Amino acid sequence: MPITQSRRRFCRMLTALGVAGLGTWAHALPVGVGASGENPTMPPIRLNAPQSRALRAWIVRIAVEQIRRGPTPRWTHRDCAGFVRFAVTEALAEHDARWQRAMGLGSPLPPNLIPEETRLALRHRWKRPDGSEGAYVSAIGLIQENSVWVSHDVRQARPADLLFFDQGAEQHLMLWTGREAVYHNGSMPIPGDNGLRKATLAALLQWNDTRWRPELGNPNFIGVFSLAFLS
């Protein structure tokens, strides 16, 4: 992903604040306000605890199913951010029998606790760094405008939280399931390799390429983030 002016400003802020400062800064932001500090175009939506638990379970179920069965044709943007967007978008879909057949999902399924009005207000409404909203947002936009910082300690991650890595010219997201991280590596699919991966925390912490280790000593690991509408 090209380095934009918005991303430069965001990353300079992260660097200047450091780990402790970042935590203070992130938790001081109102829910629904990204790293740019700009007010959202609509009042922020915050799901209550039961709704959040249910939606987290849906996001994880959909993401893990892509790993288990292979990517559904419904998922078209095959990269790390696209993987997250797809899981969240489908978690906010109407989960009727037709949708379940199209997704290849069977029982048991998480409960549907989010009112339709709230679900429709969130679905396809990602905030972007330029102030617009829509179905597409980049990895940096997912973090900067649609998430709140949780911790630099990956053990604080809850299901459906995001692990965010910044390599300078490129960013990378992993989705935490509660047991392991799942993600798309961003590569073009080739026979026998669809780009989807999963790894336990123990495996991630032993990664040969230390840039991808989710640990405090890795300057490329920015931390754990939670979607802003989740409690």
Side-chain angles (χ1 to χ4, degrees), residues 2-230:
I3 302 178
T4 63
Q5 182 178 358
S6 178
R7 199 197 78 78
R8 290 193 190 97
R9 183 172 64 251
F10 177 54
C11 292
R12 283 199 300 268
M13 186 182 297
L14 297 184
T15 302
L17 287 169
V19 175
L22 176 58
T24 301
W25 162 76
H27 290 294
L29 286 177
V31 173
V33 178
S36 65
E38 298 173 357
N39 291 325
T41 57
M42 296 180 63
I45 296 173
R46 185 70 175 267
L47 303 181
N48 62 31
Q51 292 169 344
S52 294
R53 285 194 298 270
L55 189 61
R56 287 177 184 274
W58 273 110
I59 293 169
V60 168
R61 176 68 185 275
I62 292 165
V64 168
E65 200 68 15
Q66 302 308 298
I67 299 288
R68 188 179 73 85
R69 297 168 56 97
T72 173
R74 294 166 64 90
W75 173 28
T76 55
H77 293 102
R78 305 282 178 84
D79 58 19
C80 67
F83 184 51
V84 173
R85 291 196 310 270
F86 175 77
V88 176
T89 296
E90 296 304 322
L92 290 167
E94 182 182 359
H95 301 143
D96 56 15
R98 182 178 179 180
W99 178 90
Q100 292 180 40
R101 288 194 300 270
M103 291 292 292
L105 292 179
S107 299
L109 293 172
N112 290 301
L113 301 182
I114 302 175
E116 182 178 10
E117 181 180 358
T118 302
R119 181 175 59 77
L120 294 176
L122 289 172
R123 196 167 191 249
H124 298 308
R125 295 296 294 272
W126 297 111
K127 297 177 178 65
R128 301 174 179 133
D130 65 1
S132 64
E133 291 183 345
Y136 174 84
V137 68
S138 63
I140 189 68
L142 275 168
I143 295 300
Q144 184 176 352
E145 302 296 335
N146 298 275
S147 303
V148 292
W149 188 81
V150 174
S151 176
H152 216 96
D153 183 354
V154 72
R155 293 172 297 181
Q156 301 299 315
R158 290 182 288 173
D161 279 350
L162 307 176
L163 312 184
F164 180 56
F165 298 82
D166 188 347
Q167 305 293 356
E170 296 181 351
Q171 296 78 47
H172 185 54
L173 294 171
M174 296 181 181
L175 184 83
W176 184 248
T177 70
R179 296 184 176 182
E180 56 194 4
V182 294
Y183 61 96
H184 190 282
N185 65 8
S187 64
M188 294 293 293
I190 59 175
D193 187 354
N194 57 27
L196 287 168
R197 302 285 190 272
K198 64 179 180 178
T200 64
L201 177 57
L204 288 173
L205 293 175
Q206 296 298 319
W207 217 261
N208 289 334
D209 188 343
T210 58
R211 295 177 304 165
W212 302 110
R213 293 182 181 179
E215 57 188 3
L216 183 61
N218 177 12
N220 299 118
F221 177 56
I222 306 304
V224 177
F225 288 77
S226 184
L227 294 171
F229 52 79
L230 295 173

